Amino acid sequence: MQWMVRYGLPVLMMISMCGCVAHAETAADTDDICRNVEQGVRLHVDGAYGGYPHSVLRDAVLDSVTCPSGEGELRAFHRIATPPPHMRIAVTRPMGQGQQGSLSVMLFSQGRFVIGERMSLSVFSRSQSPFSVKADINLATTRLWNDFAARIERGGPVIP
């Protein structure tokens, strides 16, 4: 027991601190997207895709995010546009061919959750490179903007 307290606790603390530093490095990376709509959206990309570098996943996400474009979507976006909202996209796919993965898209305004979408990765995305997930990300972000516009048109709250 003494050995565990003497050596195990410091090792556990070092591992947890390394995990926090690694997370802080990826969480600090943000991109401006949808610049043609009001002040745009701040994007954070999280997750891991089957052992590929995070930069490859980030590039795939940046290439596939949809922005609000319809009249209802733009009207809804205007309600949260100042300051620019924050979108977090997390893609997780374990290593190995055909492994199940998931995708989560969350929209925040002024630090508060607005709306989100979550879905499993398509069969095609589970067996290919991170760029194969582009259609899934496009679908999830399109659904997010559509659902947000529908909620606003029904008279629902901007922030639930």
Side-chain angles (χ1 to χ4, degrees):
M1 183 67 173
Q2 288 179 333
W3 179 87
M4 195 169 213
V5 171
R6 176 178 262 172
Y7 299 106
L9 189 59
V11 169
L12 182 61
M13 288 175 52
M14 286 176 33
I15 291 171
S16 67
M17 287 180 7
C18 290
C20 292
V21 170
H23 177 70
E25 290 172 355
T26 59
D29 295 335
T30 61
D31 294 286
D32 289 322
I33 60 170
C34 304
R35 292 183 203 151
N36 59 338
V37 182
E38 306 254 349
Q39 295 177 9
V41 176
R42 299 289 299 160
L43 175 68
H44 294 268
V45 179
D46 290 327
Y49 194 93
Y52 284 88
H54 187 267
S55 60
V56 175
L57 175 62
R58 187 178 142 275
D59 290 344
V61 170
L62 285 172
D63 286 346
S64 55
V65 173
T66 59
C67 297
S69 58
E71 190 177 312
E73 292 174 2
L74 292 171
R75 206 172 19 255
F77 184 80
H78 180 71
R79 307 257 319 255
I80 61 167
T82 306
H86 159 104
M87 182 181 282
R88 180 170 296 264
I89 297 179
V91 180
T92 305
R93 195 198 80 158
M95 291 185 74
Q97 191 102 2
Q99 293 291 317
Q100 181 73 26
S102 65
L103 166 64
S104 170
V105 180
M106 295 178 287
L107 184 65
F108 298 89
S109 177
Q110 299 177 12
R112 297 180 64 196
F113 177 78
V114 175
I115 194 165
E117 292 286 330
R118 183 170 173 84
M119 59 186 268
S120 295
L121 295 180
S122 65
V123 174
F124 181 69
S125 297
R126 292 183 222 156
S127 61
Q128 304 295 319
S129 75
F131 286 96
S132 65
V133 80
K134 291 168 87 173
D136 291 344
I137 293 168
N138 188 284
L139 177 63
T141 53
T142 299
R143 285 180 180 169
L144 178 122
W145 295 119
N146 287 336
D147 291 349
F148 184 50
R151 184 171 78 196
I152 297 301
E153 287 177 9
R154 285 191 314 265
V158 173
I159 297 175

